[in-house]
Amino acid sequence: MVGWEPFTRFIKSIFTSTIFTPLFHIRSLTHLDISSNGIEGELLGNGWANLSKLVHLDLRWNNFNGSIPSQLFHLRYLQYLDIRGNSFQGELPGNGLANLSKLVHLDLWWNNFNGSIPSQLFHLRNLHYLDMAGISFQGELPGNGWANLSKLVHLDLGWNSFNGSIPSQLFHLRNLQYLDMGVNSFQGELPGNGWANLSKLVHLDLGWNSFNGSIPSQLFHLRNLQYLDMGVNSFQGELPGNGLANLSKLVHLDLRWIDFNGSIPSQLFHLRNLQYLDLKWNSFQGELPGNNWANLSKLVHLDLFGNDFNGSIPSQLFYLRNLQYLDMSRNSFHGILSEEVGSMKIPKEIWNMTKLKWLYLSENNIFGEIPSSILNLKELETLDLSTNKLSMEIPIDIGNLSNITNLDLSNNKLIGTIPSSIQKLTKLRRLNLENNLLIGEIPSSLFNIKDLEYLFLRDNNLTWNNKANIVTKSMLSVLSMKSMKSCGLTGEIPYWISTLKTLTTLDLSQNQLEGMFPQWLAEMEVSIIILSYNNLTGSLPPRLFDSQNLHALNLSQNNFYGELPNNIGNATKLRFLILDENNFSGKIPKSISINEFGILDLSSNRFSGELNSNLFARFMDVSSNNFSGELPTKFSQETTVLLMGENHFSGNFPRMLTNMSNLLYLDMHDNKITGELANFISQTSNLQVLNLKNNYLQGSIPDSIFNLSKLQILDSQATNLWARSQQIDTHSSSIDTTFGSSFISFPTKFGDLIVNWKKSTQGLPSDNLLLYYFLDLSMNQLYGEIPTSLGSLKALKILNISHNNLSRMVPASLGHLESLEGLDLSHNKLSGSIPQSFAKLQELTILDVSYNKLTCKIPIGRQMDTMNNPNFYANNSGLCGMQIQVLCLEELPVSPTKSAQVEIKETWFSWQGVGIGYSIGFFLTVGSIYLNGYFVCAPPPKCHRQQRRSRV
C-alpha cells in the first residue's frame, strides 16, 4: 500500500489532468488528496471503481465542473469525501449515495448543485460531518429522515434557497454541536419545543432568514452555546430578558437588523465571556444602562449602529480595555466628547482603551471640541466623528494617530485650518473633511501622503494656492474639492492634477473654474469627472471619448459650446452623461446609440435635428432644445423617465410606448404632437406622470387611460381632448431617479411643474410633488355627472373640474373631503343646490361655483360663512344666501296682496352689475387619487324656487 502523506505531497507538486488516468491503476490507494491545484474540467467517469480501498478522497478547491460520476458511489469503504469549492452542477445524484454507508465526513460546500436534498442522503447513518452550504439547494427541507443521522455533530445548510419551516426531526439530533441554517428563506415562527434536546449545541446560526414571532424560551436552555446568530430576521417585540444569563459560555451574539424595541435587558451583562456583540439596525431606545458594562471585560467588538439610543454615553463603556471595534453611529447620543459626557465626570482612563482600532460615533448630537485625549488611542485605524455638531479646531497633533487609515470629520462645524501634522499620517488612505467651516490654504503636503486614495475637502471655506508647486506622491483615486465656498478654485483646472496617475474620480464642481476642458485631463483615463457649476467654456476634446475607463461625465451648468464629438460612442463604458444647461448645438452623433446610459441629460442646450431612435437610457432628458421631426419610434424597455418637452417634435403620438413597461414619467409638453391619444398608452402600466400640455392632440381621452393604476399626474391642459369620466385608481409612490457610484451620486430632477393654485400661478418643486394632492381635469370636455366616489379622496387638497360640460347635481360626498382647500366647479352645467355637507369643509379657502345652473340657499356654518365673494357664485339661476346678500324665499316677509304674489311669480331675479369671469385653471393631478363610478342620471333637486320681490 502506498503511504498517503508522501504521495499527497507528490501529487500536489506534479499533478496535471494528463496523469489522472494512471491514478486509477493504484488499486491499493487509501488516501487521495488533489486539493487546491486549480484542475479544470469534468471528473473522469470510469476508473473510480478500481480504487475500492479508498478511505479518504479530497478534491476541494479545484475547478471541476459537470456532474459527479456514478462510479464514485462504488467506493464502499470511503469515510471522508470533500469536494468543496468546485463548480459541480446539476442535482446531487440520489442513486448510489446509500452505498457510502461508512461515510463519516461529507463536504459539498460551494458548488453549483440545484434541486433538493436526495432521500438516500439519510441512509448515511455514520455521518458525523455534513456541509451543504452554498450549493443552491431550494424548496422545503425534507420532514423525515433526519432522525437517521443521529451521530451528526456538524450540519451546515447555510447560503441556500431553502424555505418553509424547520422540520421537527432536526431536534432529534442530540449529538449536534454545530448547526448553520443562515442565509436562506426560512419563514414563520421558530418552533417552541425541541431546542432543549440540542443540549450539546455550541454554534447556532439562524441569521438572514424571514423568521418572525418571538424567540422561544427553550433557546436559552442551550448552556453550551458559544456562537448565536439570529440577525436579519423579523422577530418582534423586546429582546427577552429572562433566561439570557443561562448562555454564560456565549462568545459571539449577533442580533442585528431584527427591529427589537425597548431597552437592553440587564441579563445581557451576565454574559461575561462575550467577545462579539452586534445590535445594529434595531429600534432599541432610551438611555444605555449606566452600570454593568464592566462585566463585559472580554468584549472585542460592540456595534450599536442605527438604533434610537439617546442620552449620554455611559462612562463604564470606556473601561472595556479589550475593545477593538466600537460603533455607536446613527443614534441620538448627545453631550460633550471630552472628559465630561453630559454631567458625568469620566475618569482619565476613558481614552486609555489602547487596543481600540475602529471608532465610529457619526450621526449623533455630540458637540463641543474634539478632545486631545483621543490622541492616546495609538492603535486607531478608523476614526469617524462625522455628522455631529463638533466645533472648534481639529486637534493640532492629530498626526500622532500614526496608524490611522480612515479619518472622517465631515459634516460638523469645525473651524480653523487643516493641521499640518496630518502629513505625518503616513498610512492614511481616506480623509474626509467636507462640509465644515475650515479656512486657510489646502496644505500641499496632503499630496505627499503616499497611501492616500480618497480626499474629500468640498463645502468649506478653504482656498487653493494656484502658484503652489505640487509634486504628488499620493495614490489618489478620488479627489473631491467641490464647492470651495469662499475664494475657491479659480482659473483653469490645476495642471498638477495630471500627476495623479491613479486618479479615478475627480469632483471640482461648484467652483469658479474657467478656461477649456484640458487635453491632459482627456488623456488621463479618469473614470468619473464632475465639473458642473463652473464657468468652463469651449468644445469637448474628442480624445476624452476614446477612454476605455470613462464611466460618468457631468459638465452641467457651464458654458461649453459646439457639437459633440462624433466618436462619443467609443467610450463604451460611459453610463452617466450630464451636459444640461450649456450651449452645445448641432445634431446628436449617431455613435451615441452604442452606449447604455443610466442617465442621459442633454436638456437646456441648442441641439437640433432629429433625435436618434436607438438611444438607450433609464433616465433621458432632452427637453428645452431645438429637436424637430417626428418622435422616435423606439426607446429602451428599461427607460423609467423620458423628458422631451419644449422642442419642436411633431407627428402622431408615438406607438413606442407599447414596449416601455417600466416608464414612470413621460413629459412631452410644448411640442407639436398631433392626432389622438390612442388606447395603447394604457400598456405602460407603471406610468405615474403624463404631461402632454400645449400640443395639438384632439379627440377623446381613451377609456383605457384610466387603467393606468399608478398615475399621479395627468396634465392635458390646453389640448382639445374630451372624455367621459371613468374609474381612476391611482396610488402614491415615489419615483426614484438617483443613480451613482460608491462615492458619487447623481440625483436627477425633473422640471418643476407650473400650476394655478388659489388663482395664482405657482411652481411645484419636482422633488416635493408627493407632498401635494391635486386633481385637475379642467378645460376639457368632460360631461355627465360628478361621481360620488370623489368623496373618498380624503387627502385631496385641490379639486378643479371647471370648464367642462358636467351636469346634474353636486354630490354631497364632496363634503367629506376633510383636507380640501380649494374647490372649483365653475363653468359647467351643474344644477340643484350646493350640498349642506360643504359646511364640514374646515380647511376650505376657495370655492368657485360660478357659471352653472345652481339654485337654493348657499350653506352656512364654519368656512362656508367666509365664502362671500359674489364673483364665485355669479351667473347661476337662483342662488341666495348671506354670502351674496340675497334673501331666500323663506326669509322674505309674507306678502299682503295677491297682486304682489303675482308680481313675485312673474319676476325672475338676475344679478346685474356683478362682474363676470376670472382666470381659470387649477392644478395638476398629483398624489393618491381614486375616481370610482360612472356618470349616471340623478333626480332633479327638491328645492323651492328662490325669488326676490322687485320694486316698481
Side-chain angles (χ1 to χ4, degrees):
M1 184 176 76
V2 178
W4 74 274
E5 289 185 2
F7 191 66
T8 296
R9 290 193 294 270
F10 173 74
I11 287 291
K12 287 186 175 181
S13 63
I14 68 163
F15 186 82
T16 64
S17 58
T18 58
I19 64 166
F20 204 105
T21 301
L23 288 174
F24 295 133
H25 297 291
I26 310 176
R27 295 178 179 270
S28 60
L29 195 64
T30 59
H31 287 71
L32 176 59
D33 185 348
I34 55 174
S35 62
S36 303
N37 277 285
I39 307 165
E40 298 180 352
E42 297 188 16
L43 288 179
L44 295 179
N46 297 319
W48 293 98
N50 296 339
L51 305 180
S52 59
K53 296 182 179 181
L54 202 62
V55 173
H56 181 110
L57 177 59
D58 192 343
L59 305 176
R60 60 183 165 164
W61 300 117
N62 284 287
N63 294 314
F64 293 122
N65 55 37
S67 57
I68 297 178
S70 58
Q71 281 200 12
L72 205 63
F73 301 114
H74 294 177
L75 306 177
R76 296 179 181 271
Y77 289 97
L78 203 61
Q79 297 179 23
Y80 183 104
L81 175 59
D82 192 340
I83 61 171
R84 69 161 46 201
N86 283 284
S87 299
F88 290 113
Q89 53 208 16
E91 295 192 6
L92 184 63
N95 294 329
L97 197 58
N99 295 337
L100 307 180
S101 59
K102 295 184 178 182
L103 205 61
V104 172
H105 182 110
L106 176 59
D107 195 337
L108 308 173
W109 185 85
W110 221 255
N111 278 279
N112 295 323
F113 295 119
N114 54 39
S116 55
I117 298 176
S119 59
Q120 284 202 11
L121 184 73
F122 300 109
H123 295 181
L124 307 179
R125 296 176 180 269
N126 287 303
L127 213 53
H128 287 189
Y129 183 104
L130 176 59
D131 194 332
M132 296 189 290
I135 56 177
S136 302
F137 277 155
Q138 53 196 323
E140 296 191 10
L141 287 179
N144 298 318
W146 293 100
N148 297 340
L149 307 181
S150 59
K151 297 180 180 180
L152 208 58
V153 173
H154 180 111
L155 176 60
D156 194 340
L157 303 171
W159 292 88
N160 282 287
S161 298
F162 292 121
N163 55 39
S165 56
I166 298 177
S168 59
Q169 281 203 10
L170 267 183
F171 298 111
H172 295 179
L173 306 178
R174 296 177 180 271
N175 289 303
L176 207 58
Q177 297 179 24
Y178 184 106
L179 176 59
D180 190 340
M181 305 178 72
V183 196
N184 279 284
S185 299
F186 291 113
Q187 60 221 31
E189 296 190 14
L190 289 177
N193 298 318
W195 294 99
N197 296 339
L198 306 181
S199 59
K200 297 181 180 180
L201 208 59
V202 173
H203 181 111
L204 176 59
D205 191 343
L206 301 174
W208 294 84
N209 281 285
S210 298
F211 293 118
N212 55 36
S214 57
I215 297 178
S217 59
Q218 281 200 11
L219 205 62
F220 301 116
H221 295 177
L222 305 178
R223 296 178 181 271
N224 289 305
L225 209 58
Q226 298 179 25
Y227 182 105
L228 176 59
D229 186 346
M230 305 185 74
V232 196
N233 278 287
S234 300
F235 298 115
Q236 297 139 8
E238 297 188 7
L239 177 62
N242 295 328
L244 197 57
N246 294 337
L247 307 181
S248 59
K249 296 182 180 180
L250 206 60
V251 173
H252 181 111
L253 178 58
D254 191 338
L255 300 175
R256 60 181 149 168
W257 289 356
I258 293 179
D259 205 25
F260 282 131
N261 54 41
S263 56
I264 296 178
S266 59
Q267 287 202 13
L268 183 71
F269 299 104
H270 295 184
L271 307 179
R272 295 177 180 269
N273 289 301
L274 209 56
Q275 296 180 24
Y276 183 104
L277 176 59
D278 193 338
L279 301 176
K280 72 168 167 274
W281 283 118
N282 279 283
S283 296
F284 290 117
Q285 51 199 299
E287 296 191 11
L288 283 179
N291 298 319
N292 299 320
W293 287 98
N295 295 341
L296 306 182
S297 59
K298 296 181 180 180
L299 206 59
V300 173
H301 181 111
L302 175 59
D303 196 337
L304 303 176
F305 174 94
N307 281 280
D308 295 321
F309 293 121
N310 56 39
S312 58
I313 301 174
S315 59
Q316 281 203 8
L317 198 62
F318 300 102
Y319 284 95
L320 304 178
R321 297 177 181 274
N322 288 304
L323 208 59
Q324 296 182 26
Y325 182 103
L326 175 60
D327 192 344
M328 306 180 75
S329 302
R330 198 169 288 189
N331 280 282
S332 298
F333 293 116
H334 61 78
I336 301 174
L337 188 65
S338 63
E339 292 188 354
E340 290 190 12
V341 175
S343 60
M344 298 179 62
K345 184 74 173 179
I346 295 180
K348 295 180 179 179
E349 292 90 339
I350 179 174
W351 297 116
N352 289 337
M353 298 174 1
T354 55
K355 296 182 180 180
L356 198 62
K357 293 184 178 181
W358 296 275
L359 177 58
Y360 299 90
L361 297 175
S362 64
E363 297 185 64
N364 282 287
N365 292 312
I366 300 172
F367 54 90
E369 64 180 350
I370 300 174
S372 59
S373 53
I374 204 169
L375 305 179
N376 294 333
L377 306 180
K378 301 296 185 182
E379 296 298 317
L380 265 187
E381 296 179 12
T382 292
L383 175 60
D384 187 351
L385 303 178
S386 63
T387 318
N388 280 288
K389 299 176 181 178
L390 295 171
S391 57
M392 307 302 287
E393 297 183 353
I394 300 172
I396 193 170
D397 293 322
I398 193 78
N400 291 344
L401 296 175
S402 57
N403 286 304
I404 208 85
T405 60
N406 180 7
L407 178 60
D408 193 343
L409 305 177
S410 62
N411 299 304
N412 281 288
K413 299 178 181 180
L414 298 171
I415 62 174
T417 60
I418 299 176
S420 59
S421 66
I422 283 186
Q423 64 181 308
K424 295 164 58 178
L425 303 178
T426 57
K427 297 180 180 180
L428 193 63
R429 295 184 62 248
R430 190 177 191 273
L431 175 61
N432 192 346
L433 302 177
E434 67 184 24
N435 198 20
N436 278 286
L437 303 173
L438 299 173
I439 60 174
E441 286 189 12
I442 300 171
S444 58
S445 58
L446 289 177
F447 302 97
N448 293 328
I449 302 175
K450 185 177 180 181
D451 291 330
L452 190 64
E453 295 183 37
Y454 310 104
L455 177 60
F456 300 91
L457 300 176
R458 62 186 184 183
D459 295 319
N460 278 285
N461 295 317
L462 296 165
T463 60
W464 178 255
N465 183 358
N466 288 326
K467 298 180 180 180
N469 184 19
I470 304 297
V471 180
T472 61
K473 299 179 181 179
S474 67
M475 303 291 290
L476 268 179
S477 61
V478 176
L479 174 60
S480 178
M481 298 170 68
K482 168 187 174 183
S483 185
M484 313 299 270
K485 294 176 183 173
S486 179
C487 300
L489 289 176
T490 60
E492 297 184 351
I493 298 174
Y495 179 74
W496 60 264
I497 293 177
S498 65
T499 65
L500 301 174
K501 301 303 182 182
T502 57
L503 192 67
T504 61
T505 299
L506 176 64
D507 183 357
L508 301 179
S509 59
Q510 298 183 34
N511 282 288
Q512 301 172 38
L513 295 171
E514 299 174 342
M516 302 180 71
F517 194 106
Q519 182 70 24
W520 56 259
L521 180 56
E523 297 172 356
M524 280 187 67
E525 296 287 325
V526 177
S527 177
I528 298 174
I529 300 176
I530 304 176
L531 301 174
S532 55
Y533 296 91
N534 280 287
N535 298 312
L536 297 168
T537 187
S539 58
L540 299 183
R543 173 64 180 84
L544 177 64
F545 299 103
D546 287 333
S547 170
Q548 295 304 303
N549 293 319
L550 188 62
H551 180 73
L553 178 64
N554 186 348
L555 305 178
S556 69
Q557 300 204 33
N558 279 281
N559 298 312
F560 290 109
Y561 57 79
E563 298 186 5
L564 295 182
N566 287 326
N567 67 331
I568 192 169
N570 292 353
T572 56
K573 294 183 179 179
L574 187 60
R575 296 295 177 265
F576 304 96
L577 181 60
I578 305 173
L579 304 178
D580 61 290
E581 299 194 43
N582 280 280
N583 293 307
F584 291 111
S585 59
K587 296 182 179 181
I588 303 298
K590 292 183 179 180
S591 66
I592 200 172
S593 61
I594 298 173
N595 300 83
E596 298 180 359
F597 292 103
I599 297 177
L600 176 62
D601 190 347
L602 306 178
S603 63
S604 301
N605 281 282
R606 294 187 289 118
F607 291 115
S608 58
E610 294 187 358
L611 192 63
N612 194 321
S613 63
N614 292 313
L615 289 176
F616 185 109
R618 282 185 58 200
F619 176 103
M620 186 164 76
D621 188 351
V622 295
S623 61
S624 302
N625 279 286
N626 295 316
F627 290 114
S628 59
E630 293 194 0
L631 287 165
T633 58
K634 183 180 179 181
F635 284 99
S636 166
Q637 294 183 7
E638 302 301 318
T639 300
T640 57
V641 176
L642 180 57
L643 310 179
M644 305 177 70
E646 298 183 26
N647 280 286
H648 304 291
F649 292 117
S650 59
N652 291 332
F653 198 81
R655 290 185 174 271
M656 51 85 178
L657 293 176
T658 57
N659 297 321
M660 302 181 70
S661 57
N662 293 308
L663 193 63
L664 302 177
Y665 193 123
L666 176 62
D667 188 346
M668 294 184 174
H669 77 280
D670 289 276
N671 279 286
K672 299 177 181 179
I673 304 171
T674 58
E676 296 187 0
L677 192 60
N679 282 309
F680 56 75
I681 192 174
S682 64
Q683 297 183 33
T684 55
S685 58
N686 289 308
L687 198 63
Q688 297 179 19
V689 177
L690 175 60
N691 189 353
L692 302 175
K693 69 180 181 181
N694 293 337
N695 279 285
Y696 298 102
L697 297 171
Q698 56 186 328
S700 62
I701 298 178
D703 293 346
S704 60
I705 199 171
F706 298 107
N707 294 325
L708 297 176
S709 61
K710 297 181 180 180
L711 196 66
Q712 297 175 12
I713 303 173
L714 169 58
D715 184 0
S716 55
Q717 193 175 23
T719 64
N720 294 316
L721 298 174
W722 59 273
R724 176 177 298 161
S725 293
Q726 300 283 342
Q727 296 182 358
I728 301 179
D729 182 13
T730 62
H731 303 277
S732 175
S733 62
S734 62
I735 301 176
D736 181 10
T737 56
T738 300
F739 306 86
S741 68
S742 300
F743 298 100
I744 304 295
S745 63
F746 303 104
T748 59
K749 184 176 181 179
F750 323 130
D752 292 348
L753 297 169
I754 306 300
V755 301
N756 291 322
W757 186 9
K758 299 180 181 177
K759 304 303 177 184
S760 64
T761 300
Q762 303 198 18
L764 300 182
S766 58
D767 51 357
N768 287 320
L769 285 179
L770 296 181
L771 300 179
Y772 305 91
Y773 296 86
F774 305 138
L775 175 57
D776 185 352
L777 297 174
S778 63
M779 301 181 70
N780 284 286
Q781 297 185 27
L782 299 174
Y783 62 84
E785 187 177 9
I786 299 174
T788 59
S789 56
L790 273 175
S792 64
L793 306 181
K794 302 298 183 183
L796 199 63
K797 290 183 179 293
I798 302 297
L799 174 59
N800 185 358
I801 50 178
S802 64
H803 287 81
N804 282 286
N805 293 313
L806 299 171
S807 59
R808 305 289 184 179
M809 295 180 64
V810 179
S813 63
L814 296 186
H816 301 155
L817 300 176
E818 301 169 352
S819 300
L820 199 66
E821 297 178 13
L823 175 60
D824 193 344
L825 306 176
S826 63
H827 293 267
N828 280 287
K829 299 177 181 179
L830 299 169
S831 59
S833 61
I834 299 175
Q836 183 61 39
S837 60
F838 278 25
K840 300 177 182 178
L841 301 176
Q842 300 184 47
E843 305 296 325
L844 195 66
T845 57
I846 293 290
L847 172 64
D848 193 343
V849 295
S850 60
Y851 292 87
N852 280 287
K853 299 178 180 180
L854 296 171
T855 61
C856 301
K857 183 177 181 179
I858 301 171
I860 59 175
R862 298 184 179 181
Q863 287 298 105
M864 284 302 300
D865 291 347
T866 67
M867 304 292 107
N868 53 9
N869 187 337
N871 292 335
F872 292 168
Y873 300 96
N875 280 65
N876 281 283
S877 56
L879 285 174
C880 64
M882 52 87 67
Q883 293 90 340
I884 56 175
Q885 299 181 3
V886 176
L887 293 177
C888 297
L889 181 63
E890 62 271 19
E891 298 169 337
L892 293 174
V894 178
S895 179
T897 64
K898 181 177 180 180
S899 61
Q901 295 175 2
V902 171
E903 181 182 350
I904 291 173
K905 293 180 179 180
E906 293 176 350
T907 304
W908 181 255
F909 169 76
S910 65
W911 294 335
Q912 299 179 2
V914 178
I916 298 175
Y918 79 108
S919 178
I920 301 296
F922 252 45
F923 302 89
L924 299 169
T925 309
V926 177
S928 303
I929 301 174
Y930 292 88
L931 279 180
N932 300 310
Y934 293 81
F935 292 157
V936 296
C937 295
K942 295 181 180 180
C943 176
H944 296 290
R945 172 185 279 182
Q946 272 74 38
Q947 299 170 333
R948 185 182 179 187
R949 188 190 305 265
S950 295
R951 296 186 184 274
V952 292

